[in-house]
């Protein structure tokens, strides 16, 4: 083992009660002590300070598979602290000494409400197998402060980082952007690296495959200290002003050495056909309720049911599509009760989408979970189950408030059974919508799914969707229906 360096940390007091009865005496002052306080959640990811959870026990080791900076908190427990305390720690590795760095590199002072110091371990190079890093609390400036818990079973005076197999990948958090088609127009988009990245490995790599329908330039921000995402800037180089033409360019993430494209791998930039529509018809409002995070639309699709075609039910959490004030389809939803226009919220008057209200799970957009077996419900693997911009409405004559046509917004969605088994599926379709009774709206459309491996090309079926759980059962159809496919 090679001793790398010893750092000095300054601490102020933290009033902390340990989960171990050996760490304090009821009814009397505890002896002050200093120890590592690294907590791990149930999914084996660190609980980062200042978030706390009294049910978690500090760990002395952690297997790290990410190249993001690892934050290791150190806590000082005492009932009273009169001055500043400094503590020294060391960092050792059995691997290359230049493969990581540790901060703080100089002496730090913590006073007042700053009660826990954090050691930041940054990974500068891809590590080798079986490498580890050991942090150790060495000395403390106040002789009355004990190094480590007051029990001997879990002292937490050292913290060992075992460097496991790195799984670096990337994905698009957003799959589609609409543009106005003006020369010089800019679109910023992000590529996420959930487990981080090494800048030198991607700086000159070709991570995109391009399918371009118009000319643009592409640049990105400096990497800086951010190792979890890269922001790109697309600048339009030509005028796209034929309103009767749909312009589209697509970027697809491709695999490169050490990095795998996962989740959403396609990003589409679109200037759609321009259709005159009165935003005050606001058809999207018939199918959303922004005041209810659990608002559902209800649907049926013509699908195989134990060998027979029948209408099969589904539902999904449904939300408006938030846009900026200058969007041509923007309608003011809320001014938040202020005169400040900067906090106003605008919705797309003609679009709705399906998503979870929070968390990393998925909803059942278009009942798609019935189309597949062995599917993952995780948004990281099957982000295509959450289609945040799914349907677009076109009022009859541009101004009808009760009927019109509907478009399944063409896009590529990703669905899989595991991180190594995902499929990109193109969806499209069209139909109509209409108020069929007082306040009850029905959307009737065909949905098409295209993937050569899963479907041998394109498959489709009929859908009905409603803005209320009570609706008339659709009449049986005399057409074939798709069946579940295995992923």
């Amino acid at each position: 083992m090679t001793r790398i360096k010893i750092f000095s940390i300054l601490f102020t007091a933290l009033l902390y009660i340990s989960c171990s009865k050996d760490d304090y005496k009821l009814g009397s002052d505890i002896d002050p002590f200093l120890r590592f306080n690294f907590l791990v959640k149930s999914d084996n990811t660190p609980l980062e300070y200042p978030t706390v959870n009294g049910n978690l026990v500090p760990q002395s080791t952690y297997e790290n598979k990410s190249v993001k900076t690892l934050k290791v908190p150190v806590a000082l427990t005492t009932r009273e602290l009169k001055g500043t305390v400094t503590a020294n720690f060391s960092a050792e590795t059995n691997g290359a000494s230049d493969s990581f760095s540790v901060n703080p590199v100089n002496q730090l002072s913590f006073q007042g409400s700053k009660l826990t110091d954090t050691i930041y371990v940054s990974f500068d190079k891809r590590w080798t197998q079986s490498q580890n890093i050991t942090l150790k609390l060495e000395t403390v400036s106040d002789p009355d402060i004990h190094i480590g818990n007051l029990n001997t079973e879990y002292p937490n005076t050292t913290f060992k980082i075992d460097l496991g197999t790195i799984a670096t990948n990337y994905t698009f958090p957003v799959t589609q952007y609409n543009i106005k088609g003006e020369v010089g127009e800019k679109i910023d988009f992000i590529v996420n690296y959930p487990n981080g990245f090494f800048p030198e490995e991607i700086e000159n790599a070709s991570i995109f495959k391009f399918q371009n329908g118009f000319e643009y330039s592409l640049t990105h921000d400096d990497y800086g200290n951010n190792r979890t995402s890269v922001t790109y800037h697309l600048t339009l180089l030509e005028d796209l002003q034929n309103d009767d033409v749909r312009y589209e360019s697509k970027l697809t993430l491709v695999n490169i050495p050490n990095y795998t494209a996962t989740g959403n791998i396609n990003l589409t930039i679109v200037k759609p056909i321009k259709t005159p529509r009165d935003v005050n018809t606001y058809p999207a409002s018939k199918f959303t309720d922004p005041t209810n995070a659990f608002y559902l639309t209800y649907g049926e699709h013509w699908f195989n049911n134990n060998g027979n075609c029948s209408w099969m039910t589904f539902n999904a959490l449904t939300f408006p599509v938030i846009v900026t004030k200058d969007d041509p389809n923007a309608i003011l939803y809320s001014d938040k009760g202020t005169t400040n226009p900067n906090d106003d919220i605008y919705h797309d008057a003609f679009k709705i989408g399906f998503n979870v209200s929070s968390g990393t799970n998925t909803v059942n957009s278009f009942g798609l979970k019935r189309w597949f077996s062995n599917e993952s419900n995780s948004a990281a693997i099957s982000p295509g189950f959450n289609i945040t911009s799914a349907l677009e409405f076109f009022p009859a004559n541009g101004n009808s408030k009760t009927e019109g046509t509907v478009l399944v917004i063409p896009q590529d969605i990703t669905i899989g059974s595991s991180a190594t088994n995902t499929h990109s599926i193109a969806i499209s379709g069209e139909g109509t919508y209409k108020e069929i009774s007082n306040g009850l709206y029905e959307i009737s459309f065909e949905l098409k799914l295209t993937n050569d491996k899963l479907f041998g090309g394109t498959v489709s079926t009929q859908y009905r969707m409603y803005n209320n759980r009570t609706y008339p059962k659709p009449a049986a159809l005399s057409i074939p229906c798709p069946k579940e496919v295995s992923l």
Side-chain angles (χ1 to χ4, degrees):
M1 303 272 284
T2 304
R3 180 61 55 89
I4 305 298
K5 55 185 85 172
I6 296 180
F7 302 90
S8 182
I9 309 175
L10 298 178
F11 293 94
T12 47
L14 171 65
L15 183 58
Y16 176 90
I17 302 299
S18 171
C19 293
S20 170
K21 290 185 179 180
D22 293 335
D23 289 342
Y24 67 94
K25 301 174 183 178
L26 291 175
S28 64
D29 288 341
I30 61 171
D31 294 329
F33 61 96
L34 181 75
R35 82 282 186 218
F36 287 103
N37 194 34
F38 190 89
L39 305 178
V40 178
K41 296 180 289 185
S42 58
D43 62 356
N44 200 42
T45 59
L47 182 74
E48 294 189 356
Y49 179 83
T51 305
V52 295
N53 185 333
N55 295 322
L56 299 178
V57 177
Q59 302 296 302
S60 59
T61 64
Y62 177 70
E63 184 180 18
N64 181 65
K65 297 182 179 181
S66 169
V67 301
K68 295 186 295 185
T69 297
L70 187 65
K71 303 174 184 178
V72 183
V74 181
L76 176 62
T77 300
T78 183
R79 289 194 183 279
E80 183 180 0
L81 188 67
K82 295 179 180 179
T84 299
V85 171
T86 62
N88 298 327
F89 73 93
S90 62
E92 300 176 346
T93 181
N94 64 347
S97 61
D98 61 349
S99 63
F100 76 100
S101 57
V102 179
N103 275 311
V105 296
N106 298 310
Q107 194 175 76
L108 299 176
S109 178
F110 293 84
Q111 298 178 1
S113 61
K114 194 173 184 181
L115 305 175
T116 295
D117 190 29
T118 301
I119 301 171
Y120 297 85
V121 182
S122 300
F123 304 100
D124 304 317
K125 294 182 179 179
R126 192 169 288 269
W127 54 76
T128 58
Q129 193 172 10
S130 301
Q131 185 174 349
N132 59 61
I133 300 168
T134 299
L135 306 175
K136 182 180 180 182
L137 298 175
E138 298 282 2
T139 62
V140 61
S141 60
D142 187 338
D144 291 331
I145 295 176
H146 185 267
I147 296 179
N149 284 322
L150 300 184
N151 64 59
T152 57
E153 188 174 0
Y154 302 107
N156 294 116
T157 56
T158 63
F159 182 73
K160 182 182 178 184
I161 306 166
D162 290 319
L163 301 180
T165 303
I166 307 174
T168 41
N169 49 43
Y170 39 44
T171 187
F172 287 121
V174 177
T175 60
Q176 184 165 310
Y177 289 93
N178 283 0
I179 57 175
K180 300 175 184 176
E182 302 169 350
V183 170
E185 183 178 356
K186 296 181 184 294
I187 290 290
D188 292 343
F189 66 88
I190 291 175
V191 176
N192 276 344
Y193 293 77
N195 286 330
F197 65 90
F198 295 106
E200 67 273 12
E201 293 182 344
I202 66 170
E203 175 61 44
N204 299 312
S206 299
I207 70 171
F208 299 121
K209 179 175 71 175
F210 301 94
Q211 183 180 338
N212 293 332
F214 49 81
E215 295 297 319
Y216 59 87
S217 64
L218 195 63
T219 60
H220 66 76
D221 286 346
D222 292 336
Y223 299 127
N225 294 322
N226 177 16
R227 298 289 183 85
T228 59
S229 67
V230 178
T231 299
Y232 287 81
H233 311 283
L234 183 151
T235 303
L236 191 61
L237 299 179
E238 61 174 304
D239 238 2
L240 309 176
Q241 295 305 314
N242 188 340
D243 291 340
D244 296 325
V245 175
R246 175 184 168 92
Y247 298 89
E248 177 178 304
S249 286
K250 182 183 293 185
L251 292 81
T252 300
L253 291 169
V254 297
N255 297 334
I256 62 173
N258 296 319
Y259 293 84
T260 304
T262 59
N264 291 320
I265 65 171
N266 295 304
L267 173 65
T268 305
I269 312 296
V270 176
K271 180 186 181 292
I273 294 173
K274 189 173 182 179
T275 304
R277 289 175 288 183
D278 182 358
V279 295
N280 293 307
T281 61
Y282 202 0
S285 65
K286 310 301 182 184
F287 301 94
T288 59
D289 181 2
T291 65
N292 181 2
F294 302 100
Y295 179 82
L296 296 169
T297 49
Y298 303 84
E300 307 226 6
H301 58 170
W302 189 247
F303 206 79
N304 186 285
N305 181 18
N306 295 322
N308 298 309
C309 294
S310 65
W311 287 107
M312 306 284 285
T313 62
F314 67 92
N315 58 62
L317 293 171
T318 311
F319 296 92
V321 174
I322 297 175
V323 295
T324 57
K325 179 181 180 179
D326 61 349
D327 189 286
N329 299 330
I331 188 166
L332 180 63
Y333 166 66
S334 173
D335 61 7
K336 292 189 174 180
T338 72
T339 58
N340 181 6
N342 295 324
D343 64 0
D344 292 349
I345 300 174
Y346 288 84
H347 290 166
D348 192 306
F350 306 108
K351 293 179 183 178
I352 63 172
F354 313 105
N355 202 358
V356 292
S357 57
S358 63
T360 59
N361 213 321
T362 54
V363 296
N364 197 13
S365 299
F366 298 135
L368 288 174
K369 294 181 180 180
R370 187 172 285 123
W371 285 72
F372 310 101
S373 63
N374 198 36
E375 73 276 8
S376 169
N377 291 322
S378 164
I381 296 172
S382 297
F385 285 136
N386 296 334
I387 307 177
T388 56
S389 187
L391 291 173
E392 183 169 7
F393 302 96
F394 297 84
N397 301 316
N399 59 11
S400 173
K401 293 188 177 183
T402 59
E403 63 181 334
T405 58
V406 67
L407 179 73
V408 177
I409 298 172
Q411 59 192 288
D412 296 309
I413 64 173
T414 299
I415 294 172
S417 60
S418 67
T420 57
N421 181 37
T422 60
H423 304 270
S424 180
I425 302 167
I427 65 169
S428 61
E430 59 184 343
T432 62
Y433 72 95
K434 185 177 182 178
E435 186 178 25
I436 59 176
S437 64
N438 187 25
L440 177 63
Y441 283 78
E442 177 188 71
I443 309 173
S444 174
F445 63 97
E446 178 187 38
L447 177 67
K448 299 177 182 179
L449 278 67
T450 301
N451 180 282
D452 289 339
K453 183 177 180 180
L454 293 176
F455 310 119
T458 300
V459 292
S460 66
T461 195
Q462 284 291 313
Y463 276 74
R464 306 288 186 267
M465 291 185 65
Y466 304 89
N467 61 338
N468 193 296
R469 68 167 63 242
T470 302
Y471 55 85
K473 187 74 173 181
L477 303 176
S478 57
I479 61 173
C481 60
K483 61 181 180 179
E484 181 183 75
V485 298
S486 175
L487 295 175

